[in-house]
Amino acid sequence: MHTVSEAFSLALALILTGGSDLYQIVGLSLQVSLGATLVACALGLPLGALVAIARFRGRNLLLIVMNALMGLPPVVVGLLVYLHLSRSGPLGFLGLLYTPTAMVIAQTILITPIIAALSRQVLEDLHGEYAEQFRSLCLRPAQVMGALLWDGRHALLTVGLAGFGRAVAEVGAVMIVGGNIDHLTRVMTTAIALETSKGDLPLALALGLVLLGLALVINGAVQALRPVAQRPLHV
């Protein structure tokens, strides 16, 4: 059993040397979370733009549902994905359970509502400010959505970063559908849980420090992009 000071010293040594498969675990974490973020943005940004400009019966109910889904319990998402991808499930023939692809699917389901809801708010504010200009140009809804997505890209990038931050810190869903298999589906959060239970505090601390560093980088990027995102919209 290491003392706290010894554990921190060994953790820093692991980060500097990349020992104990540290970099492999970090690399897989980034691969899975970036993949999920890209897919979630491809789904969530157009959905957010559509809801931002559309006015239809039941829109308020849809907004309530979108906002509620931002708080999806990860273990519930993991369970639902597991049931669908297990051998007896409807998608079991794909053989995706306990693979990085299953982890990407689970994280995508978790962060798509976050990206859709946050982007809807950003784009609705832009649309409210320039709605008359859009009408004067007789733009079709698809053109309006395209203009909003392009000119709001800096603000939407911060939305994507928020989604990535949520994905990379997730543990419950990826543990269920990935299985925490060494050299295959073991990511930073699941490895921290496992190594802590085993008493391997140096590796758990090293991964925790890397995860904390990623969180700081993401928040720094959001703060740096915020002034750029305030520039006027051009149509």
Side-chain angles (χ1 to χ4, degrees), residues 24-40 99-108 111 163-164 167-168 170 173-174 177-178 184-189:
Q24 188 271 333
I25 295 173
V26 173
L28 180 60
S29 297
L30 295 176
Q31 176 186 337
V32 169
S33 297
L34 284 172
T37 302
L38 291 175
V39 176
T99 66
T101 302
M103 298 160 70
V104 170
I105 293 172
Q107 288 191 359
T108 299
I111 66 175
F164 173 75
V168 78
E170 204 288 312
V174 295
V177 302
L184 181 62
T185 60
R186 184 163 297 169
V187 293
M188 285 187 287
T189 51

Side-chain angles (χ1 to χ4, degrees), residues 90-196:
L91 301 178
F93 66 94
L94 296 175
L96 295 179
L97 193 63
Y98 302 134
T99 66
T101 302
M103 298 160 70
V104 170
I105 293 172
Q107 288 191 359
T108 299
I109 294 173
L110 274 173
I111 66 175
T112 296
I114 296 174
I115 291 176
L118 295 179
S119 62
R120 191 276 310 171
Q121 184 60 62
V122 170
L123 298 176
E124 187 171 329
D125 292 341
L126 285 177
H127 184 254
E129 186 174 353
Y130 293 97
E132 291 186 7
Q133 187 174 358
F134 286 139
R135 283 194 294 268
S136 68
L137 295 172
C138 300
L139 297 180
R140 297 190 300 272
Q143 293 175 309
V144 174
M145 288 171 56
L148 290 174
L149 288 170
W150 174 252
D151 284 295
R153 62 190 182 277
H154 297 297
L156 295 177
L157 184 56
T158 66
V159 172
L161 288 171
F164 173 75
R166 175 67 179 87
V168 78
E170 204 288 312
V171 58
V174 295
M175 181 79 81
I176 293 174
V177 302
N180 199 21
I181 303 171
D182 193 19
H183 297 291
L184 181 62
T185 60
R186 184 163 297 169
V187 293
M188 285 187 287
T189 51
T190 59
I192 290 171
L194 175 65
E195 300 304 329
T196 301

